[in-house]
Amino acid sequence: MFDGLYLTPITGSLLLFLVVSCGHLYRDNWKKQPEGWRLRSWLFGVPAGVGLLMLAFIPLKF
């Protein structure tokens, strides 16, 4: 069913960059806790979590 589903090195690298960036913004937002910080935490945390799951369970194909 998902035989053709894989990440190329470029998409894996971009996804890793997205995960690291969103994770950093999540942590910075959590530490400072400005006005509306909970909504922004969800907006940064969900892509970081989904990206980590994709990196963990979708194989890389060279």
Side-chain angles (χ1 to χ4, degrees):
M1 182 174 168
F2 296 110
D3 292 336
L5 185 63
Y6 59 87
L7 294 173
T8 63
I10 297 290
T11 57
S13 299
L14 291 174
L15 190 58
L16 182 65
F17 177 75
L18 175 81
V19 165
V20 170
S21 298
C22 286
H24 176 71
L25 290 171
Y26 174 84
R27 184 176 177 268
D28 191 40
N29 187 40
W30 182 27
K31 286 175 67 175
K32 293 180 182 174
Q33 293 188 0
E35 183 74 27
W37 70 275
R38 288 185 181 173
L39 176 63
R40 279 192 296 274
S41 291
W42 278 100
L43 292 176
F44 296 139
V46 169
V50 169
L52 282 174
L53 287 173
M54 288 175 67
L55 286 172
F57 293 111
I58 298 177
L60 284 172
K61 184 174 183 181
F62 295 101

